[in-house]
Amino acid sequence: MMPFSELVLASHNAGKLKELQAMLGDAVRVRSVAEFSTVEPEETGLSFVENAILKARNAARISGLPALADDSGLAVDALGGAPGIYSARYADGQGDAPNNAKLLDVLREVPDAERGAQFVCALALVRHADDPLPIICEGLWHGRILHAARGEHGFGYDPLFWVPECDCSSAELPAAQKNQLSHRARAMALLKQRLGI
Ligand SMILES: O=P(O)(O)OP(=O)(O)OP(=O)(O)OC[C@H]1O[C@@H](n2cnc3c(O)ncnc32)[C@H](O)[C@@H]1O
Ligand SMILES: [Mg+2]
């Protein structure tokens, strides 16, 4: 049983919001944090989980509603897990295209066998801003970084992420399929289990 009827999604990323909404379906009425504020909290944590909690608390505080946040990113083996929690800020906050261009450039000399990477997603759900027991669920999605962009779906690093089990990039997957397989899908499946929905 869902413990509440309404939930704020604590993200300003349109791609993420779309995926999270699709995964939640009609289990709960979803509001966007942008309804309450356009100011994004500073992500000062050192882990995905810390940043997810920080974003969820901020959204719960400004909305007065339970809040679900997603902190996610791409961890590349050859870069010791970078860009990791700094994935959105990899090219100094300029956006997806510069982030992708920088990643391709940094990995230019790295051979296929060493291009392993994983998408990481940490979801944090707080019932109120000071919730002492946030629900945390994580998901990983293993793949490889391509040498050039492929595909038009998704967002962020999707065009550079090769999904071995599908033989295509994650930007070549239809939304419904990405939402079955992704790091976010795995974290959400665990969250739904925890909530009994
Ligand atoms: O913090 P919010 O407001 O939720 O939005 P954001 O875009 O800043 O989100 P993050 O701080 O969690 O940064 C996530 C980064 O990882 C990338 N990313 C996360 N999930 C992804 C996915 O499913 N496909 C492609 N890129 C993804 C995304 O493009 C960002 O650059
Ligand atoms: Mg962010």
Side-chain angles (χ1 to χ4, degrees):
M1 246 289 286
M2 193 73 171
F4 36 77
S5 57
E6 222 178 8
L7 184 69
V8 173
L9 288 183
S11 175
H12 294 271
N13 180 314
K16 262 191 205 180
L17 285 169
K18 206 168 157 191
E19 291 184 5
L20 290 167
Q21 241 152 13
M23 290 173 197
L24 282 166
D26 51 16
V28 60
R29 179 160 175 241
V30 168
R31 312 270 297 267
S32 163
V33 69
E35 279 181 50
F36 303 95
S37 172
T38 52
V39 181
E40 297 187 33
E42 213 186 325
E43 297 180 22
T44 53
L46 289 179
S47 63
F48 293 102
V49 169
E50 287 167 281
N51 282 338
I53 294 174
L54 176 156
K55 288 188 274 190
R57 288 199 195 288
N58 173 71
R61 188 166 295 116
I62 61 179
S63 67
L65 291 169
L68 175 64
D70 165 313
D71 199 61
S72 45
L74 184 66
V76 179
D77 298 342
L79 304 178
I85 60 163
Y86 304 106
S87 293
R89 301 165 263 177
Y90 193 41
D92 301 320
Q94 297 173 67
D96 289 346
N99 284 343
N100 286 2
K102 178 171 175 182
L103 185 63
L104 283 179
D105 192 43
V106 166
L107 295 178
R108 198 167 30 208
E109 307 294 335
V110 178
D112 281 353
E114 292 162 36
R115 295 176 77 93
Q118 32 279 316
F119 269 131
V120 180
C121 174
L123 294 176
L125 177 68
V126 297
R127 291 126 180 123
H128 57 85
D130 301 320
D131 190 341
L133 194 60
I135 298 178
I136 307 294
C137 297
E138 293 168 275
L140 293 183
W141 196 19
H142 296 282
R144 193 156 51 68
I145 305 301
L146 288 160
H147 291 271
R150 283 180 63 155
E152 303 295 331
H153 301 293
F155 65 96
Y157 295 94
D158 280 329
L160 300 187
F161 189 76
W162 181 254
V163 182
E165 67 265 33
C166 300
D167 230 23
C168 68
S169 82
S170 58
E172 290 175 308
L173 291 175
Q177 203 178 346
K178 182 186 171 194
N179 288 347
Q180 297 279 331
L181 298 172
S182 75
H183 51 316
R184 186 162 295 109
R186 288 170 200 209
M188 182 60 86
L190 293 173
L191 181 66
K192 285 182 164 176
Q193 244 173 48
R194 281 284 291 278
L195 294 173
I197 57 174

